[in-house]
Amino acid sequence: EGVAGKNGLKLKGDVSLPHLLADPLRFQLEATLYQEVVSIKKIEAQLGKGILEGKGAIQVKTRTYQLNFKARDVQLESIFQKLSGPVLSPAQGTGEIEGEAIGRFPRLIIRSKAKIHQFRHTTLFAREVAGTLTLDWPALEFDAKVWPGNEEKEQAAVRGRVDFVRLPIARRDRGMIAGMGIHPRALRRCYHQAVLVHIDFMPVMTA
C-alpha cells in the first residue's frame, strides 16, 4: 500500500517469495522527486529478525544511483536456505553489513564490509568471519578473515567469487518438463539457476 502526492511517495508492504526466501520480506520506502532527482529519504526492509536501513538518490536522466545502507541481525539461513546446491544453502549464522551501492542502471554494483557471527556450514564452524563483499551482478567477490575459536588473532583467510548464472535446461530434461504440461513456447524461456564458486582458503602464518 502507498500514498503518492506532491510531497513524495510512501510505500509499505509485504512480499512472499517462498521459492526464494524462507521468510516474508517487509519493506517501507519514502522518496521525493525534484528536478529529475529521486531522493530516497528512507528505505527499510525486514527479513525474519534481520533489518536493513538505507537512503540515497537516483538521477533519472543519467540513470545513476547512490545508496548507503546498514543491516543487522541478518540470518543467513533466511537468505540462502531456499537456494539449490551444496554451496550456499547450508550456510548459517548472524550477519551485519554496511556499504554503498554506486553505479548506473542496469548495472548493479555494491561494495560493503560484513561480519558473520557463529558461522556454520555443514561441519565447519567459526566464531567470527569478517571481511569485504563486492557485488558486480552477477558476480559476488569476497575476502575475509576467520576466527574459529576464542583466539584474538585470525587463524585463516578465505577469498573467492560466486557467479549467479542462468543456464538453459538440458535437452534431456525437456521431455520431462513438457510432460508436466508446460507449453513449448514457455519451455524456451525456462532456465534454472546455477552457482559457480571459486574459493581460496589460506591458513594465517603466526609467529
Side-chain angles (χ1 to χ4, degrees):
E1 62 184 46
V3 176
K6 63 179 182 179
N7 294 325
L9 173 68
K10 292 184 178 181
L11 289 175
K12 65 178 181 178
D14 298 343
V15 178
S16 294
L17 300 169
H19 60 296
L20 293 177
L21 300 173
D23 298 300
L25 177 67
R26 297 178 175 86
F27 67 91
Q28 294 185 44
L29 172 67
E30 295 182 11
T32 60
L33 174 62
Y34 180 70
Q35 294 185 347
E36 296 189 333
V37 178
V38 178
S39 297
I40 302 173
K41 305 295 185 181
K42 172 185 177 182
I43 182 170
E44 183 175 304
Q46 181 174 355
L47 181 66
K49 296 179 180 179
I51 296 177
L52 179 143
E53 297 173 323
K55 60 182 179 179
I58 300 172
Q59 302 284 340
V60 176
K61 187 173 183 179
T62 61
R63 296 185 297 165
T64 56
Y65 58 88
Q66 183 273 329
L67 177 70
N68 297 312
F69 64 89
K70 291 182 179 180
R72 64 183 188 277
D73 299 326
V74 178
Q75 306 296 311
L76 298 188
E77 49 268 40
S78 294
I79 302 174
F80 298 135
Q81 187 181 56
K82 297 289 186 174
L83 293 180
S84 60
V87 178
L88 296 178
S89 57
Q92 299 180 33
T94 302
E96 56 188 77
I97 186 169
E98 180 175 356
E100 63 179 359
I102 299 179
R104 184 171 185 262
F105 291 117
R107 189 177 180 185
L108 178 61
I109 302 175
I110 300 174
R111 296 179 176 88
S112 62
K113 295 181 178 180
K115 283 185 180 181
I116 302 173
H117 307 282
Q118 306 298 311
F119 174 76
R120 293 183 182 274
H121 189 287
T122 58
T123 60
L124 300 177
F125 172 79
R127 173 177 59 87
E128 184 174 294
V129 179
T132 60
L133 296 171
T134 302
L135 175 67
D136 189 347
W137 185 260
L140 173 66
E141 295 183 347
F142 55 89
D143 191 343
K145 295 179 179 179
V146 182
W147 288 262
N150 295 320
E151 304 88 351
E152 293 186 4
K153 184 174 179 58
E154 69 273 10
Q155 300 298 304
V158 59
R159 66 171 178 252
R161 172 178 171 134
V162 178
D163 290 286
F164 300 90
V165 296
R166 290 193 165 212
L167 302 176
I169 290 178
R171 184 180 297 273
R172 65 178 179 272
D173 296 329
R174 295 180 181 179
M176 177 187 67
I177 295 175
M180 297 169 61
I182 300 177
H183 194 277
R185 292 181 182 176
L187 183 62
R188 287 196 291 268
R189 298 192 296 269
C190 285
Y191 288 83
H192 70 276
Q193 194 77 31
V195 179
L196 307 180
V197 181
H198 171 73
I199 296 176
D200 295 323
F201 189 82
M202 302 158 291
V204 173
M205 302 304 294
T206 58

